[in-house]
Amino acid sequence: MSSEVCEAWALYQASDLLRLAYECLLKASLVEVRGGVGGGLTIGATVASLVEAAEARRETSFEDFLANSGKNETTRELTEAMLSAQKRGETDEMVAGAVRLLARLYRRTGEFSPGVLEWLNIDEYFQSLVTEVKFYETLLRLPTSEALGRIVTDRDIKRHLWVASRKLRYKAYTFLLEPDEGTLRYRDDFRIPPSSPRLDQAIQFLVDGGLIDESGITPLGRAELAKA
């Protein structure tokens, strides 16, 4: 049971890294749209810019790309390079790093046991490494540039618009991009967190409770740990 728990935790982390890669692609989309005339750009032009930045050769199949991209880099190296490029504002490098990370995560899936993968075999409204690998496998025979275009369009931009439109029912306006007669309009930016929002909230809870501070665990925190 303990090995399955470790695998499940690793799968969760891999899915979170996939989320980070997607958010970097979305952030790059915002940069492209904001730079368009009047803060707008067609979805086709937006996607084309990101695909070009990914440095994906058109004649290479997506299957070959997934098998070889980022092969000489570890998952950690790819993630750190992607996030460092994002912090420096180097959009092209961020996009190139994101797609290499996606390829590395795709290969990582083969290391998980079928039983653990089944835990995340749920409806696609909840994106995970499992749902995205299934989607990638429908694109294997396409040229890499076309496959990456589909990923940016369907799993990133349209996904954001779908989620934001659903939140309107709760009177929450969360659009970062907004469709306007065939054009995407820039509305807002966002911060890419290094892990899931639940971790941010957990850390804030520990800070508010006086259990940790900038120096680490507080005396109160150590006293609570001793009770465990």
Side-chain angles (χ1 to χ4, degrees), residues 163-211:
V163 171
S165 64
R166 286 177 62 86
K167 290 182 179 180
L168 284 176
R169 69 179 68 180
Y170 306 110
K171 298 182 179 180
Y173 185 91
T174 59
F175 285 94
L176 304 175
L177 297 166
E178 195 173 69
D180 179 19
E181 297 183 357
T183 297
L184 293 172
R185 297 290 179 190
Y186 173 82
R187 288 291 176 257
D188 202 359
D189 201 352
F190 72 107
R191 181 179 68 88
I192 299 177
S195 190
S196 73
R198 285 189 295 269
L199 181 58
D200 286 347
Q201 293 166 1
I203 292 174
Q204 188 60 53
F205 174 83
L206 294 175
V207 171
D208 291 345
L211 302 177

Side-chain angles (χ1 to χ4, degrees), residues 33-142:
V33 172
R34 183 172 52 192
V37 178
L41 201 64
T42 66
I43 188 169
T46 303
V47 172
S49 294
L50 265 65
V51 171
E52 182 178 355
E55 300 178 349
R57 296 176 59 187
R58 179 173 295 277
E59 64 272 18
T60 302
S61 73
F62 190 47
E63 184 174 23
D64 289 342
F65 174 83
L66 290 174
N68 297 298
S69 185
K71 206 168 187 177
N72 298 321
E73 301 168 276
T74 66
T75 302
R76 180 171 183 172
E77 288 171 341
L78 288 167
T79 303
E80 289 179 347
M82 176 186 72
L83 293 178
S84 293
Q86 183 264 318
K87 289 179 181 178
R88 295 192 303 268
E90 297 174 355
T91 305
D92 286 1
E93 289 295 321
M94 177 177 66
V95 171
V99 296
R100 291 200 307 274
L101 178 59
L102 292 177
R104 181 68 182 86
L105 293 173
Y106 175 87
R107 295 193 298 273
R108 178 81 170 85
T109 310
E111 302 173 18
F112 295 108
S113 61
V116 170
L117 290 173
E118 190 64 27
W119 291 359
L120 287 182
N121 187 20
I122 56 180
D123 292 339
E124 289 193 7
Y125 70 85
F126 175 77
Q127 285 181 322
S128 70
L129 185 60
V130 176
T131 64
E132 300 316 285
V133 163
K134 287 182 178 180
F135 179 65
Y136 296 174
E137 288 177 347
T138 69
L139 309 175
L140 294 180
R141 299 293 182 262
L142 295 178

